[in-house]
Amino acid sequence: MSSMQKNRLLIIGAGGFGREVLQWAQDVQAQGCVDWEVGGFLDTNPQAFKEFDIDLPVLGSPEAWQPSPEDRFVCAIGDPTIRLCICRGLQARGADFVSLIHPSAIVGSRCDIGTGTILCPGVTVTVDATIGDFVILNIRSCVGHDARVGDGCTINDFCDVTGNAKLGEGVFLGSHSSVTPSASVGDYARVGAGSVVVRRVRANTTVMGPTAKRIDWTAESAASSDAA
Ligand SMILES: CC(C)(COP(=O)(O)OP(=O)(O)OC[C@H]1O[C@@H](n2cnc3c(N)ncnc32)[C@H](O)[C@@H]1OP(=O)(O)O)[C@@H](O)C(=O)NCCC(=O)NCCS
């Protein structure tokens, strides 16, 4: 490769999140410190941009793609199982994934961010946290100190993975959900939007709902509120 020639970043998935990732990749590219430029998309639907003014090609299906040495990849498919399957398949064929960290994201000291992971705008990973490969941390989500996020997790907008929390592989957190300190979520579990995990969610289960409930009830407090 000559010094002027850049590698090409291919975004896997040309849906709504793919268009968002295009924006974030262009923001990263504008900073001028990467050796790639966005070169197109891989998607099974060649007409994905029919209704959008996007001047980039959909080059083919990710399942059939044979990576070239100048190809770099990032995956914008929200479903953890599908994303891991496609990314690991491409990796086995020699694909070189990049991590996409938006300029507005904050990553603190001693954090480990895996390959092919995307940090969208406003994400914070505080300190000593470990984020696996092919993870999506969507807009304004936060991962606290010493937390561990397994490969292929999808952490949607405004989620809060607090200190020492642990997410297994392929966990899906719906938007605005929280995992409280030291709580854990097993492999491929799904947590509904707006839910709060306070202890342990078993692998391959779906949970949902807020857990706030009164925990300091005493006969005295009941009597005083009755009197009020
Ligand atoms: C948890 C979730 C994955 C489950 O999806 P699902 O298996 O398709 O379940 P359904 O949508 O069919 O809902 C099943 C029931 O749970 C209820 N429910 C769904 N999500 C809920 C939530 N977050 N909180 C409370 N109840 C919920 C539904 O009302 C429905 O109840 P009903 O049977 O009484 O009508 C999904 O509801 C969810 O929260 N997804 C998050 C999506 C998100 O944040 N996306 C961000 C990127 S766009």
Side-chain angles (χ1 to χ4, degrees):
M1 192 176 75
S2 80
S3 58
M4 296 302 291
Q5 201 178 354
K6 293 224 167 195
N7 297 310
R8 65 170 176 181
L9 183 71
L10 301 180
I11 299 172
I12 302 164
F17 185 52
R19 281 180 276 119
E20 291 179 343
V21 169
L22 169 61
Q23 181 67 58
W24 315 147
Q26 287 170 333
D27 292 347
V28 171
Q29 198 181 310
Q31 297 240 302
C33 49
V34 287
D35 68 349
W36 47 257
E37 55 193 14
V38 182
F41 285 78
L42 299 181
D43 197 288
T44 48
N45 176 13
Q47 301 296 316
F49 295 141
K50 208 169 76 179
E51 292 171 20
F52 300 96
D53 184 16
I54 295 178
D55 190 21
L56 284 164
V58 178
L59 295 163
S61 149
E63 283 90 350
W65 192 256
Q66 289 303 327
S68 309
E70 70 275 15
D71 288 347
R72 300 290 177 270
F73 297 87
V74 72
C75 186
I77 294 174
D79 182 284
T81 307
I82 297 172
R83 186 166 71 257
L84 275 176
C85 179
I86 288 176
C87 292
R88 286 174 172 166
L90 269 162
Q91 227 177 13
R93 299 198 296 279
D96 195 353
F97 280 82
V98 299
S99 295
L100 201 61
I101 300 181
H102 193 268
S104 66
I106 296 171
V107 180
S109 299
R110 299 171 303 280
C111 290
D112 195 2
I113 310 287
T115 302
T117 283
I118 302 175
L119 271 56
C120 296
V123 163
T124 302
V125 182
T126 66
V127 293
D128 301 297
T130 305
I131 314 290
D133 296 340
F134 310 122
V135 170
I136 292 169
L137 288 175
N138 216 327
I139 299 170
R140 293 203 180 279
S141 56
C142 181
V143 177
H145 66 85
D146 304 294
R148 290 172 62 188
V149 175
D151 292 348
C153 288
T154 298
I155 300 179
N156 282 298
D157 308 7
F158 296 96
C159 285
D160 194 6
V161 178
T162 62
N164 283 309
K166 189 173 172 219
L167 309 186
E169 178 172 296
V171 168
F172 180 92
L173 295 189
S175 60
H176 288 267
S177 60
S178 303
V179 182
T180 57
S182 302
S184 65
V185 184
D187 296 347
Y188 297 94
R190 297 186 306 164
V191 175
S195 302
V196 182
V197 173
V198 293
R199 290 200 179 84
R200 175 172 164 238
V201 173
R202 287 179 193 280
N204 302 301
T205 55
T206 298
V207 297
M208 56 187 72
T211 54
K213 57 188 175 187
R214 188 168 181 170
I215 54 175
D216 64 345
W217 187 89
T218 61
E220 289 77 15
S221 64
S224 64
S225 64
D226 283 351

